Amino acid sequence: MPDGQSIGVPILSADGISKSFGSVPVLFSVSMDIRAGEVHALIGENGAGKSTFMKILSGFLQPTSGHIRLDGVDTELPGNGQSEALGIVLIHQELNLAEQMTVEENIFLGREIMSRGVLDRATMRAMVRGYLDDIGLDISPEDRISDLSIAQKQMVEIVKAISRDARVLIMDEPTAVLTEAETELFFAQVRRLKARGTAIVFVSHKLAEVSAISDQVTVLRDGQWIGTHAASDVTPDTMAQMMVGRELSDFYPPMNEVDVDADRVLEVRDLVAPGVHNVSFDLRRGEILGFSGLIGAGRTAVFEAICGLIPRERGAITFDGSSAQFGSVAEARDAGVVYLTKDRKEKGLLLGQKMRPNLSLFALPKFVKGLSVDRKAEDAALERAIRRFDIRARDPNVRVGDLSGGNQQKLLLAKVMECDPRVLIIDEPTRGIDVGTKQQIYHFIAAIAAEGVSVIVVSSEMPEIIGLCHRVVVMREGEITGVVTGDHINETEIVRYAAGLKREHQQ
Amino acid sequence: MTETTMNSAKPSLLRGFDLKAAGPAIALLILCLIGFLLNPAFLSEGNITNLLTRSAFIGIIAVGATFVITAGGIDLSVGSMAAVIAGVMIIVMNSAVDTFGTGVTTVLIGCGCSIILGLGAGLVNGFLTTKGKIEAFIVTLGTMGIYRSLVTYFADGGTLSLNYDIRGVYRPVYYDSFFGLPIPVWVFIVVSIAGWFLLNRTAFGRYCTAIGSNESVAKYSAIKVDRVKTLTYVIQGLCVSLATIIYVPRLGSASSSTGVLWELEAIAAVIIGGTVLKGGYGRIGGTILGALILTTIGNILNFTDMISNYLNGTMQGLIIIVAVWLQRGDWGRNKSAD
């Protein structure tokens, strides 16, 4: 890296930024220098003020006090995304693409190239094709956004930013929904941008990735600036400690061995469903069984098929010794098999409603007394759930959409636990939540398993699969390629199966 | 406008939410006050009873519409449905005279027929939207046209009239009172209470709200989405049939102009009452107030010469737009910022 460049004037710098919403302060004098050709990671727990800070850096919010300098000059950034004209582009976590329009239309949205008063589609298409080839993304400019995978949509957002000659690219958890392979591809692109002199601000909860890609790391905690370090000087462990402010010992709960002769609670044989080919596995009582694999390997489909959320084509499912062909989620729930979705905002919780109706919704028949819903029982259940799962809300009447991601996830876990399941299937238990809450969720899962509930953890995060599970099933392209047990559970082994380099022949 | 300024001080005590919930009630009180100031006879017992009776049709239908809308659907067919049910009821009762005479039995047969038709029509709307996976707007736009043309066809372009003798037997259902209140008002009250209980206190009501808020979440929470949605249309059909049962004895006839625009009045009552058009939040109490507000406007215009009665639609339209504008969440904040 050219030394002179990183010492020069930062493109964008925040100096003593404070922000209050009403009387509630959320940021206290935070400073950060963003330099050309540098990847600057911004880390902190949920609620540490990262999102607010990013919005201030990109002009979506104005600071209560402090200065933003662009190329060393005090600047008041224009709001509503108009900072893009200054080369500052924020890519939101919730992607900002028009779903029904094509890739090309999205990339040129609002600055279409015209020729003689009409859209010059040929030029735009050719330019988009160039960008896509550059990034190595195998989609067509004419593809509709709604037909793309989340990872591809993410890439389209980045292409959009590149096409706008972004000087500063601020990305809110870009890798949260990407698989490792996709993340690699994404990082390759980030390195290319960096080489071109783009400054990149990168928010992530995946500390290993932060280590891998960043040059600088800034840590926020409770709205305070904790420190900025060269990424080479800090390990993921020290980063986690700075974020949480305490030692993170016992990150994963101690593993209780499962009885060798524990009952087989769930047996699946030759399950075939859309995206699932001949999947067979067993689950024992009290076991935590991991499902690993790349995104799109069909893991979610397996469990949606078992729970009656998507149709099954073939296959035998035995639950507790008797055949269990659940035709609906309600049947599965009544039998004691519940599925906790990975998409807590779209499929998990009613964001516009309060905690109480959310908590009882899944297990509502249990709360019906006579003809009506027993509100006292609901209130009692909410009180219990708040205690058991340590849900922190400033008041119980808050809209669920206003809770932090971690608290939403805890509420979602409490919601499915209201059904008193015997088999709990958790898809991506810790997506987009902070280190401290992750640790709590791991301990909850272990405690649930210790009570005799069998837990299936579907996760794309290798460390949690390794740290939490007794056994790991690896899937690839709709099939199970291997099962790893005990001491053999390690990253290399799982990756080999997931990538198709190794495969077990099951019978 | 004085009222709004007075109220803007209150939210800090009652929290902004209550103001929104109380909005329709305040609006109705203001309307009544205006009515009384324009003509004291507005508050006479006779006029109040008349007003309540007239509100009953739209009110009962609107209670059903509250379920459909809360669950994220819409039913445009209710006006035509009422017309076709009224028409078929009359045909059935007229032809039952030969066998069952002109007594209560014939009227009961007519009512039974009405209920079956209402449930059936609701079921058709429900099935087409859920199993047929066609948008509710399109389905009920279609059935609206079908029902409307059917009643025209049955009446051969004219009017279907109820047998004169049966009319005598059936008449009390609209015109008689019970404990000082006309029977239609009692039906309205019973339907409202049942509707309120169903929406606010039962699991079914919770499911409607959940589906209207987010259908995926409902599906993943073990709710049988298709069944619940279909049931909302069936409830709507039942409400329409009840409204028709008390409407037929009023005129004793049905024609292609029966129930015209009732669907819009019902939807308007629901929206004025604070139910969210895109679903997820429903208020039966608000719906009832909404129905009363709409009828009161027409009633006041009848009482005064200041505004032409022909502008009834204009006034209703204005009220709807203002109601929705007031319900927008940021209104309270803008006020306090001023």
Side-chain angles (χ1 to χ4, degrees):
Chain A
M1 184 178 306
D3 268 330
Q5 204 174 9
S6 62
I7 292 166
V9 179
I11 300 187
L12 186 66
S13 74
D15 183 16
I17 297 291
S18 298
K19 176 74 185 172
S20 305
F21 291 111
S23 59
V24 186
V26 291
L27 285 179
F28 305 88
S29 192
V30 175
S31 301
M32 184 171 175
D33 287 342
I34 300 160
R35 291 168 201 278
E38 232 177 47
V39 176
H40 199 141
L42 181 63
I43 61 173
E45 292 194 274
N46 288 342
K50 301 184 302 285
S51 300
T52 310
F53 188 53
M54 274 186 300
K55 283 183 187 150
I56 290 174
L57 283 179
S58 51
F60 284 90
L61 288 173
Q62 292 302 326
T64 311
S65 67
H67 303 277
I68 295 286
R69 292 200 190 91
L70 186 62
D71 296 319
V73 183
D74 266 10
T75 312
E76 190 171 315
L77 295 176
N80 271 330
Q82 285 165 35
S83 302
E84 289 191 3
L86 303 172
I88 304 170
V89 178
L90 171 66
I91 299 184
H92 296 266
Q93 201 175 356
E94 285 83 26
L95 299 178
N96 204 357
L97 296 168
E99 288 277 321
Q100 297 306 323
M101 296 173 79
T102 64
V103 172
E104 167 219 317
E105 287 165 342
N106 265 285
I107 287 175
F108 281 99
L109 197 61
R111 44 185 200 111
E112 288 80 1
I113 297 175
M114 310 288 271
S115 147
R116 281 183 244 114
V118 292
L119 294 176
D120 185 357
R121 304 199 79 118
T123 308
M124 288 194 282
R125 201 164 301 155
M127 286 175 73
V128 170
R129 208 179 291 277
Y131 296 135
L132 294 175
D133 288 346
D134 246 12
I135 202 170
L137 189 56
D138 185 24
I139 56 173
S140 151
E142 281 115 282
D143 284 344
R144 259 173 223 296
I145 298 296
S146 53
D147 296 334
L148 302 181
S149 72
I150 301 180
Q152 288 170 327
K153 290 180 190 175
Q154 179 94 56
M155 294 297 190
V156 172
E157 277 280 17
I158 291 165
V159 169
K160 199 166 125 187
I162 297 170
S163 74
R164 288 175 192 215
D165 296 322
R167 294 175 66 207
V168 180
L169 193 55
I170 304 171
M171 293 187 276
D172 191 0
E173 286 198 62
T175 60
V177 292
L178 303 188
T179 61
E180 302 215 349
E182 288 164 337
T183 303
E184 262 322 302
L185 186 66
F186 167 72
F187 281 170
Q189 194 54 41
V190 168
R191 289 193 189 99
R192 213 175 298 186
L193 286 172
K194 193 173 126 170
R196 278 167 41 170
T198 311
I200 291 157
V201 179
F202 165 72
V203 171
S204 177
H205 283 121
K206 300 182 181 173
L207 301 179
E209 291 179 0
V210 170
S211 277
I213 192 80
S214 316
D215 302 306
Q216 299 284 330
V217 181
T218 291
V219 186
L220 295 184
R221 189 201 313 146
D222 301 328
Q224 313 263 8
W225 177 83
I226 299 301
T228 300
H229 300 273
S232 49
D233 295 348
V234 284
T235 64
D237 270 351
T238 40
M239 284 189 241
Q241 273 169 31
M242 285 194 286
M243 284 164 62
V244 181
R246 59 188 148 85
E247 291 276 334
L248 272 174
S249 57
D250 307 325
F251 193 64
Y252 293 102
M255 211 175 285
N256 287 320
E257 283 308 314
V258 188
D259 268 343
V260 194
D261 48 27
D263 309 333
R264 285 179 182 179
V265 182
L266 188 70
E267 289 171 65
V268 175
R269 290 287 168 270
D270 299 320
L271 179 71
V272 180
V276 178
H277 314 295
N278 289 313
V279 163
S280 305
F281 66 92
D282 293 329
L283 177 67
R284 284 182 297 170
R285 193 179 133 82
E287 184 180 29
I288 305 179
L289 178 64
F291 263 72
S292 190
L294 306 178
I295 287 181
R299 295 167 299 168
T300 297
V302 168
F303 297 104
E304 293 196 333
I306 291 174
C307 293
L309 278 156
I310 59 171
R312 285 181 302 272
E313 284 157 29
R314 240 176 333 109
I317 301 165
T318 318
F319 176 66
D320 240 359
S322 51
S323 170
Q325 305 289 335
F326 304 127
S328 69
V329 190
E331 270 178 48
R333 174 200 61 197
D334 295 342
V337 180
V338 299
Y339 169 75
L340 190 156
T341 171
K342 61 186 166 191
D343 193 350
R344 67 173 166 262
K345 291 192 170 152
E346 282 303 313
K347 295 173 180 165
L349 295 169
L350 300 171
L351 299 180
Q353 310 231 2
K354 296 172 187 176
M355 292 201 283
R356 187 180 65 179
N358 268 293
L359 178 71
S360 57
L361 193 63
F362 201 5
L364 202 56
K366 191 179 93 178
F367 290 97
V368 175
K369 207 164 95 185
L371 284 173
S372 59
V373 176
D374 183 351
R375 296 190 166 205
K376 284 210 181 82
E378 279 188 292
D379 284 332
L382 181 58
E383 218 171 282
R384 271 199 314 275
I386 288 177
R387 250 197 337 259
R388 176 175 177 193
F389 294 104
D390 187 34
I391 302 167
R392 293 179 202 166
R394 37 193 154 75
D395 98 73
N397 287 321
V398 67
R399 279 173 65 254
V400 166
D402 293 336
L403 292 176
S404 72
N407 282 310
Q408 287 178 358
Q409 189 69 14
K410 289 176 182 174
L411 180 65
L412 189 54
L413 183 57
K415 170 180 162 179
V416 299
M417 287 309 291
E418 279 301 320
C419 303
D420 301 318
R422 304 213 22 233
V423 173
L424 169 65
I425 302 156
I426 313 185
D427 203 346
E428 303 292 356
T430 62
R431 173 176 286 178
I433 64 180
D434 61 72
V435 186
T437 313
K438 270 186 183 177
Q439 185 188 17
Q440 278 186 307
I441 299 248
Y442 298 145
H443 282 81
F444 294 144
I445 292 174
I448 289 166
E451 285 168 18
V453 178
S454 309
V455 184
I456 291 174
V457 173
V458 180
S459 174
S460 303
E461 286 191 39
M462 204 68 83
E464 75 185 18
I465 285 271
I466 296 167
L468 206 55
C469 301
H470 297 115
R471 223 153 39 99
V472 180
V473 175
V474 189
M475 284 188 70
R476 175 181 168 76
E477 292 174 349
E479 291 175 303
I480 292 180
T481 47
V483 179
V484 207
T485 318
D487 296 339
H488 300 289
I489 303 181
N490 61 56
E491 195 155 346
T492 345
E493 194 71 0
I494 294 174
V495 166
R496 279 163 134 187
Y497 284 120
L501 302 173
K502 191 174 169 187
R503 137 175 226 130
E504 248 171 33
H505 285 283
Q506 318 170 255
Q507 201 50 5
Chain B
M1 273 296 112
T2 38
E3 278 75 16
T4 50
T5 12
M6 274 168 63
N7 285 316
S8 63
K10 272 187 181 172
S12 51
L13 287 172
L14 295 170
R15 316 209 54 181
F17 197 73
D18 283 325
L19 176 72
K20 255 165 130 187
I26 295 168
L28 185 60
L29 282 176
I30 296 169
L31 274 178
C32 289
L33 191 68
I34 294 172
F36 178 73
L37 292 177
L38 289 172
N39 188 341
F42 175 82
L43 285 185
S44 68
E45 198 193 328
N47 188 50
I48 293 292
T49 335
N50 171 39
L51 207 156
L52 288 174
T53 316
R54 284 172 167 265
S55 309
F57 308 123
I58 293 303
I60 291 168
I61 294 174
V63 167
T66 310
F67 284 92
V68 173
I69 293 175
T70 302
I74 190 99
D75 191 344
L76 299 175
S77 68
V78 292
S80 309
M81 198 192 289
V84 80
I85 292 175
V88 174
M89 262 180 95
I90 289 170
I91 294 171
V92 167
M93 284 191 280
N94 285 349
S95 47
V97 171
D98 296 338
T99 345
F100 298 98
T102 54
V104 179
T105 321
T106 305
V107 173
L108 286 179
I109 289 173
C111 295
C113 167
S114 164
I115 288 175
I116 291 166
L117 285 173
L119 296 176
L123 208 57
V124 168
N125 282 339
F127 265 120
L128 287 174
T129 41
T130 55
K131 299 296 174 202
K133 300 198 190 309
I134 309 171
E135 277 181 58
F137 189 94
I138 304 298
V139 168
T140 58
L141 190 65
T143 50
M144 170 171 113
I146 294 169
Y147 298 151
R148 181 62 63 198
S149 88
L150 280 180
V151 71
T152 317
Y153 171 74
F154 291 147
D156 210 5
T159 302
L160 288 159
S161 295
L162 188 58
N163 176 301
Y164 190 77
D165 295 324
I166 306 175
R167 216 181 278 192
V169 181
Y170 198 173
R171 210 184 120 83
V173 172
Y174 182 79
Y175 290 97
D176 270 17
S177 288
F178 183 70
F179 282 109
L181 282 178
I183 289 171
V185 179
W186 281 111
V187 177
F188 186 19
I189 291 172
V190 170
V191 168
S192 303
I193 293 173
W196 181 86
F197 181 79
L198 196 57
L199 186 62
N200 294 302
R201 287 288 177 266
T202 66
F204 174 77
R206 202 59 82 71
Y207 292 160
C208 291
T209 314
I211 291 171
S213 304
N214 187 329
E215 218 172 297
S216 296
V217 173
K219 182 179 153 196
Y220 278 79
S221 302
I223 296 170
K224 292 180 174 151
V225 174
D226 285 355
R227 186 181 299 178
V228 173
K229 277 168 83 177
T230 305
L231 272 174
T232 63
Y233 289 97
V234 171
I235 290 171
Q236 173 73 87
L238 180 65
C239 289
V240 171
S241 73
L242 289 175
T244 313
I245 287 172
I246 54 171
Y247 177 77
V248 168
R250 182 179 164 209
L251 299 174
S253 66
S255 70
S256 59
S257 62
T258 303
V260 167
L261 291 184
W262 280 11
E263 59 282 338
L264 294 188
E265 284 197 38
I267 293 168
V270 172
I271 301 308
I272 291 172
T275 296
V276 177
L277 184 58
K278 66 180 186 339
Y281 179 67
R283 295 185 61 229
I284 295 285
T287 296
I288 294 158
L289 292 169
L292 291 173
I293 289 173
L294 286 179
T295 324
T296 308
I297 297 167
N299 187 267
I300 290 175
L301 295 185
N302 276 335
F303 261 83
T304 67
D305 301 327
M306 271 167 54
I307 305 175
S308 161
N309 204 9
Y310 296 133
L311 287 176
N312 189 2
T314 306
M315 296 310 290
Q316 292 189 346
L318 284 173
I319 294 274
I320 294 165
I321 292 167
V322 170
V324 172
W325 178 67
L326 289 180
Q327 281 163 18
R328 275 202 345 223
D330 53 1
W331 169 74
R333 263 171 266 152
N334 284 350
K335 270 285 163 202
S336 52
D338 281 348

